[in-house]
Amino acid sequence: MNGLFSALTVRGLTLPNRIVVSPMCQYVAVDGLANSWHVAHLTQLAVSGAGMLTIESTAVEPAGRITPGDLGLWSDDTEAALGKVIQAIRDNSRIPVALQLAHAGRKASSYEPWHGGQLIPVSEGGWETVAPSAVAQKEGEAAPQALSKASIARIRDAFVAATLRAARLEVDALELHGGHGYLIHQFLSPISNRRNDEYGGSLENRMRFLLEVFDAVRDAWPDERPLGVKLSASDWIEGGLDVTATVAIARALKAHGADWVVSSSGGISPQQKIAPAPGYQVPFAAQVKQQTGLISTAVGLITDPQQADRIIRSGDADLVAVARAMLNDPRWPWRAAAELGARIDVPPQYWRALPQGHADIFENLVFGAR
Ligand SMILES: Cc1cc2nc3c(=O)[nH]c(=O)nc-3n(C[C@H](O)[C@H](O)[C@H](O)COP(=O)(O)O)c2cc1C
């Protein structure tokens, strides 16, 4: 079967099905430290039966946090705290675990979304932000500091240091956050990158930071473990990134050894004009797949199992990442398996809780048979 419940092997890692739990910031860490919320949140998603669980955007240095509540992986303490979460997942599930590494650049030092999400001034406990150019995200906000070449190299090295920590924690896969208006995307997009050195101007130059980080991380990351990248395939702004540029970026990433690209969109500017609709970013994933042959992940308003199965069977994407629908229903993959008559790995403690009305497919649900 080549649908949603077929396995996929990427380097040394086999995903039992094509459902990826998309990374979701929780904004409740303190000083970057994971806590019991992350254990509760991630272990429930780890027993969901999904093919891979992606841990939320994790900052490679304190200044790279979107909010003061972001997870971090920049010190022995943050490594130990995240290690406890990963141990709890491992104790209870065989799910492959990916970790998303990020730097928020000019979108750092912001309030949590439930407090409005706007920039926190330094006078109110925020911090100075950095970006490729001294261009604020929103009118009226303090401009970020343009990164010097030495600071670019320092941030690249912070990605590497976090990668070495993730390797020690035996994370199965890494994903670089290159979308949603954060630092890597700020370099990629002409909306935020106004540099006139080798990191700005042409697309080739704007990709340089991403590829330098990618290469350095790939070198530090064990060969058998996959490394993917999440991109914003469109800025939804005239003169911004579009899918043609994204295909070129994905092609370069493939040449550098990337294992997958997730095609998200938006986040670079409040001027963006997006009309979200079911599967609205799938055409981006389809173009990346068709034009590069990379493993392509579709994400965004994929909420229905049949829809997800169609995306895989039609060849539009190789993986589907599901975010909000998994928060709403952490048993979403059970329902999908029931609807599609598939097999799924679920702890025996839960075997008596078959999805309502699907007792007839009990024979097909070979729990724990992976
Ligand atoms: C609460 C929440 C937190 C998120 N945090 C992240 C994140 O850490 N990294 C990321 O790449 N995307 C993040 N996203 C975006 C999702 O991963 C996903 O790309 C987006 O929500 C679209 O998928 P959906 O329609 O299935 O929710 C977040 C989304 C939500 C709802």
Side-chain angles (χ1 to χ4, degrees):
M1 178 164 101
N2 295 316
L4 192 62
F5 284 92
S6 55
L8 179 70
T9 298
V10 192
R11 294 189 187 241
L13 184 68
T14 296
L15 281 60
N17 61 59
R18 308 303 181 96
I19 305 166
V20 176
V21 181
S22 206
M24 281 178 279
C25 280
Q26 298 297 292
Y27 311 110
V28 293
V30 176
D31 296 330
L33 299 164
N35 57 44
S36 60
W37 173 260
H38 302 94
V39 173
H41 165 67
L42 290 166
T43 45
Q44 64 153 345
L45 293 170
V47 297
S48 64
M52 185 164 76
L53 169 64
T54 316
I55 297 176
E56 68 189 78
S57 166
T58 298
V60 298
E61 64 171 15
R65 291 171 298 165
I66 307 163
T67 75
D70 283 30
L71 276 188
L73 189 53
W74 59 67
S75 63
D76 291 350
D77 286 351
T78 52
E79 181 181 331
L82 193 59
K84 283 188 196 161
V85 177
I86 290 168
Q87 191 57 50
I89 296 171
R90 300 300 192 204
D91 287 347
N92 295 293
S93 167
R94 286 174 289 194
I95 195 165
V97 177
L99 174 72
Q100 190 184 53
L101 290 179
H103 192 297
R106 68 179 187 175
K107 284 177 88 172
S109 183
S110 298
Y111 286 107
E112 297 80 4
W114 52 85
H115 289 134
Q118 71 278 20
L119 212 65
I120 310 174
V122 175
S123 58
E124 288 172 30
W127 58 91
E128 301 269 4
T129 64
V130 295
S133 307
V135 181
Q137 159 92 359
K138 291 182 195 142
E139 224 171 283
E141 279 181 348
Q145 214 172 45
L147 284 164
S148 65
K149 285 188 198 165
S151 300
I152 290 175
R154 180 184 52 74
I155 293 176
R156 178 204 62 209
D157 292 349
F159 272 94
V160 172
T163 297
L164 294 171
R165 294 184 185 280
R168 276 204 292 275
L169 293 175
E170 298 193 355
V171 168
D172 297 302
L174 279 185
E175 181 171 285
L176 300 179
H177 200 340
H180 298 176
Y182 300 118
L183 186 62
I184 292 174
H185 185 184
Q186 289 160 32
F187 273 91
L188 291 172
S189 174
I191 304 291
S192 42
N193 185 342
R194 311 275 170 80
R195 296 178 76 98
N196 46 30
D197 63 1
E198 67 265 39
Y199 290 97
S202 65
L203 180 59
E204 193 188 347
N205 280 356
R206 285 181 277 121
M207 273 192 238
R208 193 174 308 279
F209 177 63
L210 165 64
L211 295 177
E212 285 181 359
V213 170
F214 184 91
D215 287 346
V217 166
R218 187 61 268 180
D219 270 358
W221 187 234
D223 268 359
E224 69 284 4
R225 299 193 217 174
L227 174 60
V229 178
K230 188 164 181 173
L231 295 173
S232 278
S234 172
D235 284 337
W236 302 109
I237 298 176
E238 183 119 6
L241 285 180
D242 59 12
V243 70
T244 306
T246 301
V247 165
I249 296 165
R251 213 170 258 138
L253 282 168
K254 187 181 182 194
H256 285 244
D259 294 301
W260 68 74
V261 160
V262 185
S263 293
S264 189
S265 71
I268 205 69
S269 158
Q271 321 270 288
Q272 65 190 19
K273 302 242 176 329
I274 309 187
Y280 70 113
Q281 295 171 151
V282 174
F284 299 142
Q287 288 232 35
V288 167
K289 182 171 160 65
Q290 282 153 20
Q291 297 195 39
T292 70
L294 264 174
I295 291 175
S296 185
T297 305
V299 68
L301 289 176
I302 299 167
T303 55
D304 171 59
Q306 302 284 351
Q307 171 200 18
D309 192 48
R310 268 197 310 276
I311 291 168
I312 303 297
R313 282 183 193 282
S314 64
D316 280 349
D318 302 286
L319 294 165
V320 291
V322 182
R324 288 164 292 183
M326 287 294 304
L327 284 191
N328 175 266
D329 175 10
R331 308 283 176 262
W332 192 91
W334 293 25
R335 187 155 60 78
E339 277 189 46
L340 300 167
R343 299 169 176 224
I344 197 164
D345 189 28
V346 166
Q349 306 89 295
Y350 283 3
W351 284 5
R352 294 174 70 187
L354 278 168
Q356 286 262 316
H358 285 280
D360 55 317
I361 62 157
F362 180 74
E363 290 300 312
N364 288 334
L365 284 168
V366 181
F367 291 111
R370 201 165 96 218

